Each structure stands twice: as C-alpha cells, then as structure tokens.
Amino acid sequence: MSSPQMYVASTTAPVNIAVIKYWGKCDTKLNLPTNSSLSVTLSQSDLRTHTTAACSPTFTENRLYLNNEPQDVSGARQQACFRELKALRKKLEDADPALPKLSEHNVHIVSENNFPTAAGLASSAAGFAALVRAIADLYELPDSPTDLSRIARQGSGSACRSLFGGYVAWEMGAAADGSDSLAVQVAEASHWPTMRAAILVVSAAKKGVSSTSGMQATVATSELFEHRAKHVVPKRMAAMKKAVLERDFESFAALTMADSNQFHAVCLDTMPPIFYLNDVSRASIRVVEEINRVAGRAVAAYTFDAGPNCVVYYEEANEALVLGALRRYTAGVAGWEAQEVAASVPEGFDVHVGESLREGVGRVILTSVGGGPVKTGESLIDAQGLPRALSK
Amino acid sequence: MSSPQMYVASTTAPVNIAVIKYWGKCDTKLNLPTNSSLSVTLSQSDLRTHTTAACSPTFTENRLYLNNEPQDVSGARQQACFRELKALRKKLEDADPALPKLSEHNVHIVSENNFPTAAGLASSAAGFAALVRAIADLYELPDSPTDLSRIARQGSGSACRSLFGGYVAWEMGAAADGSDSLAVQVAEASHWPTMRAAILVVSAAKKGVSSTSGMQATVATSELFEHRAKHVVPKRMAAMKKAVLERDFESFAALTMADSNQFHAVCLDTMPPIFYLNDVSRASIRVVEEINRVAGRAVAAYTFDAGPNCVVYYEEANEALVLGALRRYTAGVAGWEAQEVAASVPEGFDVHVGESLREGVGRVILTSVGGGPVKTGESLIDAQGLPRALSK
C-alpha cells in the first residue's frame, strides 16, 4: 500500500541509434552540440528502459536506482533534469493553487533496462529520456516531447531523440542558452515501418574512451572536425531527411555508412587517437559490403556508435539475404532463437570476408524501428518509495 | 667479361618513411600530388635497393629484373622513366657528337632488395629511385637529384624523396606539367644523426587496398580530404621543416603522429572505407603513448604507411626506454639479434596496453636516418646483360 502522500508515474523509453552522428559539444554544460544529428528509434520490445518516478514529502533526498543499484544523482546532468522539471511543475502550481505542491518534494527514480548492460549499448539515451518522461508524467506537465527534449538533452545529448519514436532529428539550434537545441520527429515509425536493425554485439569489448571525454578531445584536437561539423553534416542532414521521407533506402544507406565512417575518422584524427572500431567491426563492414555487392545495390547499412558493436539497418524485404549472411558467421550466439532465417549466403558471396565475426560476436539483437515512450501502470517502486524488486 | 658495347652503372638507394604523408594525386599520369610531403630517409645498411643499369646495341628490348624475377616494363610508369632519361641523354649526345649514342640502345635493369619483400614495406620508392639514379649514372647525366626527382616521381610518387638522404620534402608544385613538383633536401642526415627508427613488421598481414587505387578513391569520395590537403598539410609542412631544422623532437613527434592519424582518418572517410591499421597497429600506438607517458614527454613517434606496420621514430638517447618497451612485447621475433637492449619497461609502465603485439609482430627492423643513393662498383649484371645471380 502506498503512502497517501506519494505520487507515482511510470514509463518506458526506447534506445535510438543515430544515422547522422552527434559528436562534439560547443557548450558542455548545456550539452549543445556542434552539429545536428538524426536517429532511428528502435523497438522497445527488444531494447527499452522502464522507469518509475515518485515523489513524496517523506522523501529526504532525490534518489535514483538503475537495475536495483543506487546511483549518484549529485552530478550536474541529473541535477539539471530535476531542477528544470521541478521549475515547470512550480509554474503550474503557481498558476493553480489547487494543485498539490509536488515541486517541493524530493523524487525517487527506479529504472530497469531489458537488455544486458554488459552489451555495451549506449543506454544513457533511453535512461534519461525515461527519467524526463516519467517525471513529466508525475508532474502532469502539458509540455510536448520537443519541449521536454530541451531538458533530456541536458541529461545526455542523444537522450533528447529518445522522446520520439520513428525517425528523429536533433536540431542543434543557434541560441546561446540552448532553448532551440531540440528534438523533432522527422517521421513516425509507421511512415517507414519496414526498417529493421540487427545489432552485432562484440564479445569481451574492453572499456574504451567514454563518449563524453572523447568528443571534447576531438573538438579540441582534430583539424578535420570543424569542417565536418560546419560543412558536411548540414548537407547530410537535409539529404537524410529527404531519404527518410521518400523511404529511399539506398540513399539512407549511403549516408548512414558514410557518416559512421566520418565520425570514426574524426575520432582517429583526435590526439591521442580514439579507436572504437576493432578488427571485428571491420569484418562486419566487409560483410555488409559483400551483401550489398551480391545484391547489386545497398540493401544493408552499417553504423557504429562509440564502441565496436555493428548496427545493421535493412528493410524487411531483404531479411533473408541480410540475416542469412550475418547468421552464417554467428549462428551459435544468443539472439537468433526468435528468428526463423536460414544461415546461408547466395552464390557468389565471398565468405572469407567475415571470418573474424565468428569468434568476435557474442550476441545478436534483432529489432526494428519503433515508437516513442509509453506510459505504463507497472510501477517499479514499492510503498516505501524503494525498488519493488528489492522488497520482494 | 662484358661485351665492348655494353655500358654499366650500379647504385644503391634508400627507403624513406614519410612523417607528413603523401596521399592523393591531382594528376594520376604525372603523379602530381594534392599536397606536399616530408620524409626521413632510412639507413641503407638495413633497407636498400641495389640496382645495376646497362645498355648495349645488342639489347633487343628494355628489361627489368627484381630479385631475379623478370618484371613487366610496359607500364606507363616505367616507360616514363626510360623515356625521360633517354631524352636527357639525347640532349647531351646532340650537344657533343663525340659521346656514344647510348640513348639509342635498350636498357637492362637488375635490382635486388636487402630486405624481405614479404615484410610489406613499401619498396617502390627505393626501387624507382635506384632505377633513375642508376640510369642517370649510366648516361653520365649532370642533372641534380632534384632534377632527377621530377623523373623518379613519375615512376612512384614517393620515390622522388629517396634520391636524397636525411630529411626530404617533396614540394607539390603548381605547374600543370609537373615541372616544379620536386624533392628537395631539408637537412642532411648529419644535421640530426641521432634519429632512429624501429619498424614493427606485422605478421601475416593480408594484402590490403593498393595505395595507387586507394588514394584516388579517397580523392573522389572523402569529404574531409580536400580540407586536409588544402588547409592542414601546408601548415604542417612548415612546422615540420622547423622541427627538423631545430632538431626539436617533441614537435617532430607531435606532427608525425597527428599526420599519420589524419592520413588514416581520410582513408576511413573514403567510401568504401580503407583500413590499413588493425588491432596490432592500435596496440603499437598504445605502447608508444605509454612510453611517452612514463617519459613525461614525447620521446617516440609512431607512423604508419599504407599497411599495418608501425614505424617508431625516436632519438638515440632514449633507446633504452623505447626499445626496452618494444622488445618486452616482441622479444622472440627476428631482428633483435644485433641490438644490445634489455627487454624491460620502467616502473609505472602499464604493460597491458601492448598485449596484442606479442602475437601480431613477426619481425623488427632497427635502423636510423641515413644517406642518399650511393654509386657502387658491384654490378648485378653479367656479360650477357642478365642477372649475375642467375648465371652463377
């Protein structure tokens, strides 16, 4: 039984994987990016953060639990999200004295991911999106996802894109206070619902350079970076939006692969150089290239975030070819159970290109484009305001 | 006994490893580069091509033997060298009718490398430099190395730098006919004789993308490449010349490492992406970074050409630290015999950074800055104008 003074709201939020990459901030405090970016939101059936937010006058401090482990909330990023959301609630309360004074209470957040954190998938985007969405629901804020993206961005840049489903742009904006650095939906998942993603999770990936410190090293030392941010990305953003709106997979693929490569190129142009791709990543690229070669056109597109895991986008119609080839190298690993696809490649496929995948991939995740955050009645918080899983 | 009509000249020529990289042509026929470059010539005791050129009215065609294997000389690159050198000889003959008419004869070239070709070290630079130098000596041309560099460049771009010892710039020039795209010596080896190089030859390196086709793919598809060529390299050329003239190793190292990284960054920004660095290369970089970290300053500099082999430049005074660390990971491989250095690292050195080197490096070559081509009486050609080694 929950205490009469406790208010609770729960949501789930998705992971997104950028196809035009965010890398570099011009304001590290406000998380203002040096260039706009664009991502595909992935289905929450496969990858999601489930978060419950609660507030109560009995809570003596703000708290956050992730997968039942208490987390530090004193960091500037968490504090910014709490502060900004409370300020919005305070405005409502000031305008309507009948509203309970939730803005005066501390907040407890309990979060769980439905995917292994060890997989090295950037989970901070889903995490901060869920946190902001859950608190906004708790506070019954009327603000739109785009309004809220301004807050989620301050938690983790790419989190702003996880407030929407489908195809999402984060427009860098121009204002010094970040008020116009916001996420907007380019298209719903239903506009292009045949988009699929296969994630090759590289086993035993060592912890590399964190994206937060890595991107600022790039801004500070890469001589190529500014050219990318100023002159290359704006063109690619326009071209990618067009590709999405026209469901033009070949253009989508060419831009996705080129932009992943360029992101890793500016990482390599950083001093000291940052390497996220390893020999397994390279073999993944070669397999995708070979798939496209035998298909006679781009039917698959690789992209890599700040780690060695390969995300392969493809359309449902080409599933047999794309997954058949990927499965041929990774048939023994977890993740293929649910998928009925033969591990096979067509005649003429050079099977030698992907041999490194055989020992390097530890798990596959098969998913698709999906929707944005979803409100849920399933609370992760018990009557004392603590993780329900711990009180069982 | 050689035929009375046969004329013979022999030379050796060195390998050079660039510290500001040549990558990209604006004229593929004339080998005109998109940017200037700068290299260190390595000692011929360790790496050299030995070449004998001969001509005789009895020779029925131009021939070239490399390591006793006949080579195709019908290619445009070889033809350009033969044609240009014969034209220079013809001018001399026209001016002095007493001279024998060597320009009317065909030429036989016999070349041998003193290093394993399997090592994947770019040997075309030494090869074409030796070819041009040997024929120029055969023809008794008065032309300077810089004059001859215009010809060697047409054989293989980087060959023009191997006509000099020490520290050598290839100035890209501006003329459409390539007449001012020439090599000049920045400093003799004796100006900064303490420069050493350790080459980590990666074992079982698969044949990658050739530099000839790779660089033109970069020119055609990399959005970052032009910025590098136009805006980054000119600054770096000036800074590198200053570093060499002032024997400023720290600046030399910073520029060398940054330029190697940027060259590989534009390779990665190519579509499809070109990867020359592998996990072993990356481990080499981490070891050099760790050497510099424990030294408190840059005492070693890595650079990579179009392959995974790491060339580490360092100064003689830091040999114990640099080679000690490299030997710690590669003690069992060929190349350490001649060097008295303990396989050890100083206290505080993180030995985990280079574990991939242990299985990935097949051989080391320990060398130093060295001189330019040297005339030799040792002929590789027998009285019939064929490789002496085959007639034994």
Side-chain angles (χ1 to χ4, degrees):
Chain A
M1 200 187 77
S2 64
S3 135
Q5 305 100 322
M6 190 164 89
Y7 294 80
V8 180
S10 296
T11 194
T12 62
V15 163
N16 72 77
I17 300 289
V19 289
I20 301 294
K21 299 293 189 188
Y22 158 50
W23 193 251
K25 308 180 208 279
C26 51
D27 184 317
T28 53
K29 190 158 162 285
L30 291 169
N31 270 357
L32 298 183
T34 52
N35 59 258
S36 299
S37 54
L38 198 150
S39 59
V40 179
T41 295
L42 299 183
S43 169
Q44 297 182 58
S45 312
D46 305 299
L47 299 164
R48 60 139 181 75
T49 298
H50 179 180
T51 294
T52 298
C55 63
S56 163
T58 66
F59 292 172
T60 56
E61 57 183 358
N62 291 325
R63 284 192 193 174
L64 170 60
Y65 296 83
L66 174 60
N67 295 335
N68 301 313
E69 297 286 334
Q71 308 288 312
D72 179 19
V73 292
S74 65
R77 296 159 153 237
Q78 283 84 359
Q79 289 296 319
C81 291
F82 288 138
R83 185 181 61 243
E84 297 253 6
L85 289 160
K86 281 187 184 173
L88 291 176
R89 172 68 189 183
K90 180 75 162 50
K91 268 193 200 168
L92 295 185
E93 293 167 2
D94 290 348
D96 180 357
L99 289 176
K101 300 287 186 288
L102 304 188
S103 69
E104 295 171 5
H105 303 164
N106 285 305
V107 175
H108 285 191
I109 307 287
V110 176
S111 258
E112 290 178 5
N113 294 329
N114 71 340
F115 52 93
T117 47
L121 292 161
S123 53
S124 64
F128 272 103
L131 180 145
V132 168
R133 184 71 264 177
I135 298 178
D137 290 348
L138 178 74
Y139 289 165
E140 299 187 328
L141 301 181
D143 305 77
S144 71
T146 288
D147 295 336
L148 294 175
S149 75
R150 185 181 54 78
I151 300 174
R153 186 201 76 221
Q154 296 173 64
S156 171
S158 57
C160 71
R161 297 186 311 241
S162 274
L163 288 168
F164 290 97
Y167 303 84
V168 187
W170 173 11
E171 303 291 358
M172 62 182 292
D177 67 353
S179 55
D180 59 352
S181 186
L182 301 167
V184 293
Q185 192 174 49
V186 175
E188 293 276 2
S190 60
H191 164 76
W192 195 1
T194 52
M195 182 69 77
R196 297 287 176 271
I199 308 177
L200 307 178
V201 182
V202 172
S203 45
K206 289 168 206 153
K207 178 128 184 83
V209 176
S210 87
S211 56
T212 300
S213 62
M215 64 174 73
Q216 290 320 99
T218 300
V219 173
T221 66
S222 169
E223 301 241 23
L224 302 177
F225 175 73
E226 189 181 346
H227 184 77
R228 159 173 169 73
K230 278 198 183 162
H231 301 289
V232 180
V233 173
K235 284 186 299 181
R236 287 185 178 170
M237 280 295 290
M240 184 60 92
K241 285 177 193 172
K242 185 165 179 284
V244 167
L245 292 174
E246 296 176 356
R247 290 182 285 265
D248 170 1
F249 188 84
E250 285 194 63
S251 298
F252 172 90
L255 289 161
T256 294
M257 295 187 284
D259 208 65
S260 175
N261 292 334
Q262 189 168 91
F263 152 45
H264 292 282
V266 298
C267 286
L268 177 45
D269 190 47
T270 301
M271 187 53 73
I274 302 168
F275 294 98
Y276 291 121
L277 306 182
N278 64 18
D279 287 354
V280 178
S281 316
R282 270 207 293 288
S284 314
I285 290 176
R286 295 306 177 215
V287 168
V288 170
E289 288 175 348
E290 187 62 12
I291 289 169
N292 291 337
R293 192 189 63 77
V294 297
R297 64 194 166 90
V299 299
Y302 56 78
T303 187
F304 299 83
D305 278 350
N309 299 334
C310 185
V311 177
V312 181
Y313 285 115
Y314 63 97
E315 287 185 290
E316 187 179 24
N318 298 306
E319 185 166 272
L321 170 58
V322 176
L323 293 190
L326 298 180
R327 189 165 194 169
R328 189 189 176 284
Y329 296 101
T330 61
V333 308
W336 287 110
E337 309 83 39
Q339 198 76 20
E340 293 206 13
V341 61
S344 73
V345 292
E347 199 156 345
F349 190 99
D350 178 359
V351 294
H352 300 297
V353 297
E355 288 305 327
S356 304
L357 288 187
R358 211 174 284 283
E359 293 180 0
V361 172
R363 177 194 182 89
V364 300
I365 297 170
L366 304 174
T367 186
S368 61
V369 63
V374 177
K375 202 175 285 195
T376 169
E378 196 184 335
S379 170
L380 300 175
I381 287 186
D382 70 12
Q384 282 68 49
L386 296 172
R388 194 178 291 274
L390 296 182
S391 62
K392 270 173 193 161
Chain B
M1 198 187 78
S2 64
S3 135
Q5 305 101 324
M6 190 164 89
Y7 294 80
V8 179
S10 296
T11 193
T12 63
V15 163
N16 72 77
I17 301 288
V19 289
I20 301 294
K21 299 293 190 189
Y22 158 50
W23 193 251
K25 308 180 208 279
C26 52
D27 183 317
T28 52
K29 189 157 161 285
L30 291 169
N31 270 358
L32 299 183
T34 52
N35 57 260
S36 299
S37 54
L38 198 150
S39 60
V40 179
T41 296
L42 299 183
S43 169
Q44 296 184 56
S45 312
D46 305 299
L47 298 165
R48 58 139 184 74
T49 297
H50 179 181
T51 294
T52 297
C55 64
S56 161
T58 65
F59 293 172
T60 56
E61 57 182 357
N62 292 324
R63 284 193 193 173
L64 169 60
Y65 294 84
L66 174 59
N67 295 335
N68 301 314
E69 296 288 334
Q71 308 289 311
D72 180 20
V73 291
S74 66
R77 296 158 154 238
Q78 282 85 0
Q79 290 295 318
C81 291
F82 288 138
R83 185 181 63 243
E84 297 255 5
L85 289 159
K86 281 186 184 173
L88 291 177
R89 171 70 190 182
K90 180 73 162 49
K91 268 194 198 165
L92 294 185
E93 292 166 3
D94 289 350
D96 179 357
L99 289 176
K101 300 285 186 289
L102 304 189
S103 67
E104 295 171 4
H105 304 165
N106 285 305
V107 175
H108 284 191
I109 307 288
V110 176
S111 256
E112 290 179 4
N113 294 330
N114 70 340
F115 52 94
T117 47
L121 293 161
S123 53
S124 63
F128 272 104
L131 180 145
V132 168
R133 184 71 265 177
I135 298 178
D137 291 347
L138 178 73
Y139 290 165
E140 297 186 330
L141 300 181
D143 304 78
S144 72
T146 288
D147 294 337
L148 295 175
S149 75
R150 185 180 56 77
I151 300 175
R153 186 201 76 221
Q154 296 174 63
S156 170
S158 57
C160 71
R161 297 186 309 241
S162 274
L163 289 168
F164 290 97
Y167 303 84
V168 187
W170 173 12
E171 303 291 357
M172 62 181 291
D177 67 355
S179 55
D180 59 351
S181 186
L182 301 167
V184 293
Q185 192 175 49
V186 174
E188 294 274 4
S190 60
H191 165 76
W192 195 1
T194 52
M195 183 70 78
R196 298 287 176 272
I199 307 177
L200 307 178
V201 182
V202 172
S203 46
K206 290 167 203 153
K207 179 130 182 79
V209 176
S210 87
S211 55
T212 300
S213 61
M215 67 173 74
Q216 289 320 99
T218 300
V219 172
T221 66
S222 169
E223 301 242 24
L224 302 178
F225 175 72
E226 189 182 345
H227 184 77
R228 160 174 169 73
K230 277 199 185 162
H231 300 290
V232 181
V233 173
K235 284 185 299 178
R236 287 187 178 169
M237 280 295 289
M240 184 60 93
K241 286 177 191 171
K242 186 165 178 284
V244 167
L245 293 174
E246 296 178 355
R247 291 181 285 265
D248 170 1
F249 188 83
E250 287 194 62
S251 298
F252 172 90
L255 289 161
T256 295
M257 295 187 285
D259 209 65
S260 175
N261 292 335
Q262 188 168 91
F263 152 46
H264 293 282
V266 298
C267 287
L268 178 46
D269 190 47
T270 301
M271 187 52 75
I274 302 169
F275 293 97
Y276 291 120
L277 306 182
N278 64 17
D279 286 354
V280 179
S281 316
R282 267 207 296 288
S284 313
I285 290 176
R286 294 307 176 215
V287 169
V288 170
E289 289 175 348
E290 188 63 11
I291 289 170
N292 291 337
R293 193 189 62 77
V294 297
R297 65 197 165 90
V299 297
Y302 56 79
T303 187
F304 299 83
D305 279 351
N309 299 333
C310 184
V311 177
V312 181
Y313 284 116
Y314 62 97
E315 287 184 290
E316 188 180 24
N318 298 306
E319 185 166 273
L321 170 59
V322 176
L323 293 190
L326 297 180
R327 190 165 193 170
R328 189 187 177 285
Y329 296 101
T330 61
V333 307
W336 288 111
E337 309 83 41
Q339 197 76 21
E340 293 206 15
V341 61
S344 74
V345 292
E347 198 158 342
F349 191 100
D350 178 0
V351 295
H352 300 298
V353 297
E355 288 305 327
S356 304
L357 289 187
R358 211 174 283 283
E359 293 180 1
V361 172
R363 177 194 182 88
V364 300
I365 296 170
L366 304 174
T367 186
S368 60
V369 62
V374 177
K375 202 176 285 194
T376 170
E378 196 183 336
S379 170
L380 299 175
I381 286 185
D382 69 11
Q384 282 67 50
L386 296 172
R388 194 179 289 273
L390 297 183
S391 60
K392 271 173 194 164

